[in-house]
Amino acid sequence: MDGEELTEQETALYDRQIRVWGADAQRRLSKSHILICGMKGTVAEFCKNIVLAGVGSVTLVDDRIVTDESLSVNFLILPHENHYNGKTLAEVCCDSLKEFNHMVHVAVETGDISTFGVEFFEKFDAVIISCCSLGKKKLINQKCRKLSKRVAFYTVECRGSCGEMFVDLLDYKYSKKKLEETIECQIEYPSFEEAISVPWRALPRRVSKLYFAMRVIEQFEDVEGRNPGETTIADLPGVLKLRKELCETNSLDESQIPDALLERLLTDTREFPPVCAIIGGILGQEVIKAISGKGDPLKNFFFFDAMDGKGLIEDISGPSTRS
Amino acid sequence: MADAAPPSKSRDLDKLLLRPGNLVGPTFDPGVQVFFLSVLIFEGFGYFQLRDDLQEYARVLVVGAGGLGCELLKDLALSGFKNLEVIDMDRIEVTNLNRQFLFRLEDVGKPKAEVAAKRVMERVSGVNIVPHFCRIEDKDIEFYNDFNIIALGLDSIEARSYINAVACSFLEYDSDDNPREETMKPMVDGGTEGFKGHARVIVPGVTPCFECTIWLFPPQVKFPLCTLAETPRNAAHCIEYAHLIKWDEVHSGQAFDPDNPDHMKWVYDEAVKRAELFGIPGVTYSLTQGVVKNIIPAIASTNAIISAACTLETLKIASGCSKTLSNYLTYNGVEGLHTKVTEFVKDKDCLVCGPGVLIELDTTVTLKKFIDMLEEDPRVLMTKASITYHGKNLYMQAPPVLEEMTRSNLELPLYDLMDKIPKDVLHATGTINKDDKKSSGLRKLRVVFKGIDGVADMDMAGGA
């Protein structure tokens, strides 16, 4: 980085966090540019965390119009009609987030970013995708990976009391201090497509059931041409049928993807505020770690289920991604 | 819809799954890191949604409107709680703004509780939040009894100790020495520092209370005077020398004010001089502030996670499914991401959440003598005690109006003031002097009068 000192204002405002990760890391954060697509509750929480942390800029993408449902989980939207009437989710969240930290540049981008050229993504240091179809996730991930610059890629989805997060930091090198020594670390990440292509039978037996369940739902929505989250209990027979097929192809026992879990994910599509806060907090932390280069990043999936309170980190990567 | 399975069945399953200590320990499988918030079985309870009546009637108090408090208020309001109150004695400062997201630069100087309440009510429709801009000790004990659940977003051991004592003071035991369920006041306590945090549930009488597990806290850093005076080894020693020793030598009579930048600069300059003398590196202005003010490093994301964990626990308590949950979660986000859940056990001799300190008295002992005894009793060590009996003020040290009104009680026998009941519970609030530290405290006292018919010996029951 170009060795600029933090301004007096930044030093005062960020004092408490500089004591956690240091001035150097803070400088790197203040020069970073983040692209965020899909402004639901979890992502709103995430945005709050990184805007407060003082990233350089945040670009929001979500052309959907504000609805009553989005109000109940997204505290960035004030429940006054004249505040949100006619505006898109991105626009309303942008107005709100600007207030949290004047030093962060918050902007809106419109359109379907999966159709944008690779150069568009070059502007960013991290890209976070939510509420996107399977096809779009893969496409955006691939575009980011084509760049010579490392662009960190994350996806996050919350359905009811469950949440899933995916991280792709490509070839990530960082150092950490252990006692008096500095240790150099390197982690290689698979792309989203590579990760979900790892044959299920190759995965350890105790892998979170949520991983499989999310893949089934994801495939179902893809095949049926649904928007993410556009499912009801009426879809259960179709989903169970798909599960059977996928399990047969993958030599996985169907009991690994319980009916009850699939039911919950189909019907309970609205986000649950405390889960949004937890996932949004963890995602915020991961992005801060990746940009500042401090701390061990998560590899590569994180699952959370408020019903049993378990949060699990799963490493879903095949041998082919290790060089 | 939320008829939980017969309690005994849930509890057995709880215990089964509360063995996460085996799964989550320092030697867990590096391929899978497990993050537990708490373990609970919901039988036939598909959702966490609060039932409508719970939203109407549940009253939750949030103590602290800082990093955790702001997040707690937001999470609780979004989760459907309609009746919240928040108490905080501080005003907003610039250094709060990196995580206390309800506050803006223009709010600096305003009371945290008031701004926080206002901002959350603006953003979430249907919730009512009453702010209290005052110290937690300024409220009557009965104020705290009004709430179903108390959620703590505090930053000191002393404050937690105080609220814990208040909540535990409501706990009553029956004649078989069992805690009475309807007097249990559950608390959810969160704490954070940098990338680390904890969330715990305290149900007085069931789980350990804050005092039962106070041994968990490492001893507060207190440098020996000889190290500061003769043999400093690090930057903090130099700073504390300037702060605690040199300041008084040079400014005798004038109290050091940590919020006065000139005072802080003076301490910094002296610390630098001393560090140079001993060849010790590392004294910076930032460190000086940190050491002198005991600054806790803090970031938004840890607060968000811990508060949400506390909110989930609050929801479980309010929906009545987790009476026996015994849960202490510690969270560490710095090396990867991991947590540990431990089931700590209540200390049956705990002076705070137990049946109370047992005091045997003659019926002739006056209230004044009783209050004086509390100073010397090694189990109490309380000075300037105010005494209440079933909500009635027997003697209040302050304010002057109340002191005057209750002064005449001092000469009366305590036995008479307690309606000539052979044994009952009193509450004493005052200054507790323990290990050279003074702090506000509250103690439950079980008084047994000797020589009354029907009280053959010292039996342990406390209820009237």
Side-chain angles (χ1 to χ4, degrees):
Chain A
M1 302 270 96
D2 56 8
E4 256 170 54
E5 292 300 314
L6 290 168
T7 66
E8 213 179 290
Q9 193 184 13
E10 284 173 317
T11 316
L13 185 65
Y14 301 139
D15 180 83
R16 296 300 186 262
Q17 65 200 39
I18 291 173
R19 288 171 193 275
V20 178
W21 52 59
D24 222 30
Q26 188 62 51
R27 268 189 288 270
R28 265 177 249 148
L29 282 170
S30 67
K31 294 185 193 326
S32 62
H33 304 285
I34 321 290
L35 175 68
I36 301 155
C37 178
M39 299 305 301
K40 278 174 74 177
T42 311
V43 172
E45 282 284 339
F46 163 71
C47 288
K48 157 180 67 72
N49 294 330
I50 60 163
V51 166
L52 289 173
V55 294
S57 81
V58 161
T59 304
L60 309 177
V61 182
D62 199 324
D63 294 336
R64 293 176 295 180
I65 304 294
V66 177
T67 60
D68 280 342
E69 192 193 311
S70 42
L71 275 182
S72 62
V73 282
N74 190 332
F75 69 96
L76 291 178
I77 311 172
L78 275 77
H80 308 303
E81 254 201 71
N82 53 0
H83 180 256
Y84 68 78
N85 206 5
K87 288 193 181 170
T88 67
L89 278 166
E91 283 167 351
V92 176
C93 292
C94 175
D95 291 339
S96 231
L97 281 169
K98 279 184 177 152
E99 287 179 26
F100 286 17
N101 188 344
H102 294 303
M103 294 189 276
V104 178
H105 182 73
V106 189
V108 169
E109 185 69 58
T110 53
D112 180 356
I113 60 168
S114 66
T115 64
F116 290 7
V118 163
E119 340 65 64
F120 171 74
F121 297 93
E122 187 147 37
K123 296 190 288 222
F124 304 102
D125 301 289
V127 171
I128 290 86
I129 307 291
S130 183
C131 319
C132 265
S133 68
L134 177 61
K136 286 193 180 157
K137 272 189 217 174
K138 289 195 229 175
L139 198 49
I140 296 170
N141 189 198
Q142 276 159 25
K143 293 192 186 200
C144 292
R145 287 189 138 235
K146 281 206 174 89
L147 297 162
S148 51
K149 162 189 183 189
R150 188 174 60 85
V151 175
F153 176 83
Y154 303 81
T155 70
V156 66
E157 293 300 340
C158 282
R159 298 173 84 112
S161 37
C162 296
E164 172 188 84
M165 220 175 96
F166 168 78
V167 181
D168 176 11
L169 300 181
L170 294 100
D171 190 8
Y172 184 67
K173 294 187 182 66
Y174 66 107
S175 55
K176 60 181 183 180
K177 273 202 167 73
K178 207 145 192 183
L179 301 171
E180 295 303 320
E181 279 182 59
T182 306
I183 306 177
E184 295 300 323
C185 308
Q186 178 173 6
I187 309 180
E188 265 203 66
Y189 286 76
S191 71
F192 186 74
E193 182 152 24
E194 284 165 356
I196 63 173
S197 306
V198 172
W200 292 359
R201 63 181 161 276
L203 297 171
R205 189 168 291 258
R206 44 139 182 68
V207 161
S208 170
K209 296 179 163 50
L210 250 182
Y211 173 71
F212 300 119
M214 292 295 251
R215 302 283 78 72
V216 173
I217 305 271
E218 188 176 67
Q219 274 263 50
F220 179 80
E221 285 174 347
D222 193 39
V223 161
E224 300 288 314
R226 304 277 184 86
N227 284 323
E230 226 173 55
T231 55
T232 67
I233 191 66
D235 295 317
L236 187 61
V239 167
L240 292 178
K241 183 160 168 283
L242 181 60
R243 175 187 68 182
K244 188 164 188 297
E245 287 168 21
L246 289 171
C247 285
E248 267 165 24
T249 321
N250 279 282
S251 313
L252 188 78
D253 199 301
E254 276 191 82
S255 63
Q256 285 285 76
I257 317 178
D259 286 18
L261 182 56
L262 288 169
E263 268 185 59
R264 279 171 59 205
L265 292 172
L266 282 175
T267 49
D268 214 358
T269 54
R270 268 173 55 146
E271 289 177 300
F272 182 47
V275 175
C276 295
I278 288 168
I279 310 274
I282 290 174
L283 181 59
Q285 204 142 278
E286 286 303 312
V287 171
I288 288 169
K289 280 198 258 186
I291 291 176
S292 65
K294 283 200 158 208
D296 300 305
L298 186 159
K299 181 192 180 194
N300 58 346
F301 274 94
F302 175 79
F303 296 98
F304 179 73
D305 189 343
M307 286 294 250
D308 62 16
K310 279 195 222 182
L312 292 154
I313 297 176
E314 300 287 8
D315 185 350
I316 313 271
S317 49
S320 56
T321 60
R322 307 209 199 289
S323 54
Chain B
M1 76 170 237
D3 284 340
S8 55
K9 188 173 174 201
S10 302
R11 253 181 240 140
D12 288 343
L13 288 163
D14 278 353
K15 282 196 163 51
L16 184 72
L17 290 165
L18 273 169
R19 268 191 269 135
N22 293 338
L23 295 172
V24 187
T27 57
F28 55 80
D29 181 341
V32 174
Q33 291 170 299
V34 180
F35 173 116
F36 273 91
L37 281 187
S38 62
V39 181
L40 192 78
I41 288 287
F42 279 73
E43 301 268 9
F45 193 94
Y47 297 85
F48 271 88
Q49 315 289 358
L50 276 191
R51 301 185 311 226
D52 286 343
D53 51 354
L54 284 171
Q55 288 177 333
E56 286 299 308
Y57 300 123
R59 291 164 56 76
V60 181
L61 174 68
V62 175
V63 185
L68 285 166
C70 286
E71 295 279 348
L72 275 167
L73 284 169
K74 160 185 58 82
D75 292 340
L76 291 168
L78 285 173
S79 298
F81 286 94
K82 300 269 181 246
N83 301 293
L84 302 174
E85 299 196 25
V86 59
I87 178 169
D88 193 309
M89 65 181 189
D90 283 334
R91 291 178 183 275
I92 298 164
E93 295 174 22
V94 168
T95 52
N96 298 148
L97 303 177
N98 80 321
R99 65 211 181 275
Q100 299 170 27
F101 68 96
L102 295 172
F103 310 142
R104 309 278 169 261
L105 201 54
E106 315 81 77
D107 297 322
V108 170
K110 296 185 195 159
K112 288 187 181 184
E114 291 170 13
V115 179
K118 177 165 160 261
R119 291 276 154 73
V120 176
M121 286 194 284
E122 276 169 12
R123 288 171 185 278
V124 183
S125 53
V127 68
N128 188 47
I129 309 180
V130 179
H132 301 271
F133 172 45
C134 63
R135 296 163 64 237
I136 52 182
E137 298 92 338
D138 293 340
K139 290 290 189 194
D140 274 344
I141 298 169
E142 281 311 303
F143 165 78
Y144 295 98
N145 210 4
D146 254 349
F147 300 98
N148 303 111
I149 303 167
I150 301 177
L152 309 183
L154 292 166
D155 59 1
S156 76
I157 293 175
E158 292 77 25
R160 285 187 177 89
S161 219
Y162 183 82
I163 295 282
N164 178 71
V166 171
C168 292
S169 74
F170 302 127
L171 181 69
E172 289 172 22
Y173 285 76
D174 63 19
S175 46
D176 294 322
D177 243 8
N178 294 318
R180 289 173 43 209
E181 248 178 59
E182 65 277 15
T183 64
M184 293 176 187
K185 183 80 60 193
M187 287 175 285
V188 180
D189 171 54
T192 68
E193 178 168 344
F195 282 110
K196 301 185 197 171
H198 82 264
R200 69 187 292 187
V201 173
I202 297 175
V203 182
V206 178
T207 70
C209 78
F210 186 72
E211 292 301 318
C212 292
T213 50
I214 201 149
W215 52 267
L216 277 173
F217 290 96
Q220 301 283 272
V221 175
K222 235 189 156 89
F223 301 122
L225 267 177
C226 49
T227 308
L228 298 183
E230 308 291 336
T231 48
R233 291 186 303 281
N234 62 35
H237 294 155
C238 300
I239 293 164
E240 287 292 59
Y241 168 79
H243 169 218
L244 299 173
I245 297 177
K246 197 75 197 276
W247 175 272
D248 282 330
E249 278 175 21
V250 173
H251 300 92
S252 63
Q254 189 187 15
F256 173 77
D257 177 7
D259 292 319
N260 183 329
D262 292 331
H263 289 200
M264 191 64 76
K265 177 98 189 7
W266 187 92
V267 167
Y268 167 66
D269 290 337
E270 285 301 316
V272 167
K273 282 191 216 158
R274 187 160 180 83
E276 274 169 14
L277 191 63
F278 283 88
I280 296 172
V283 175
T284 61
Y285 188 74
S286 175
L287 184 65
T288 305
Q289 285 177 307
V291 169
V292 170
K293 290 168 100 164
N294 210 9
I295 291 178
I296 302 172
I299 56 178
S301 45
T302 313
N303 282 336
I305 295 164
I306 294 294
S307 303
C310 290
T311 301
L312 278 173
E313 291 310 306
T314 308
L315 273 165
K316 288 176 192 172
I317 295 169
S319 53
C321 286
S322 65
K323 278 188 302 204
T324 57
L325 196 67
S326 185
N327 185 316
Y328 193 112
L329 165 109
T330 50
Y331 163 81
N332 189 330
V334 72
E335 265 171 40
L337 190 77
H338 67 95
T339 21
K340 185 169 174 174
V341 173
T342 321
E343 182 173 4
F344 288 107
V345 171
K346 172 166 139 32
D347 174 3
K348 62 173 172 50
D349 296 322
C350 180
L351 292 177
V352 175
C353 69
V357 179
L358 183 68
I359 301 183
E360 278 196 311
L361 295 173
D362 279 329
T363 53
T364 54
V365 170
T366 59
L367 178 56
K368 176 160 196 331
K369 179 125 201 300
F370 178 69
I371 290 174
D372 291 341
M373 278 168 70
L374 296 180
E375 257 182 72
E376 304 297 321
D377 191 322
R379 300 164 301 167
V380 184
L381 294 173
M382 185 184 284
T383 51
K384 294 185 124 14
S386 297
I387 310 291
T388 58
Y389 174 58
H390 290 303
K392 211 170 55 180
N393 295 330
L394 293 190
Y395 180 67
M396 300 305 275
Q397 303 267 354
V401 165
L402 274 180
E403 198 280 321
E404 227 185 286
M405 276 170 61
T406 52
R407 201 185 299 162
S408 51
N409 286 340
L410 288 173
E411 300 312 314
L412 299 176
L414 184 59
Y415 181 59
D416 292 358
L417 288 167
M418 287 172 69
D419 304 326
K420 298 204 167 127
I421 288 172
K423 50 184 192 284
D424 209 339
V425 171
L426 290 173
H427 292 128
T429 40
T431 308
I432 305 223
N433 304 286
K434 212 172 159 200
D435 307 322
D436 290 327
K437 264 184 23 190
K438 287 180 164 41
S439 53
S440 297
L442 181 153
R443 287 291 177 263
K444 200 189 304 177
L445 309 169
R446 263 186 306 163
V447 173
V448 176
F449 291 102
K450 295 188 276 209
I452 307 297
D453 284 348
V455 181
D457 49 70
M458 197 173 85
D459 72 300
M460 306 302 266

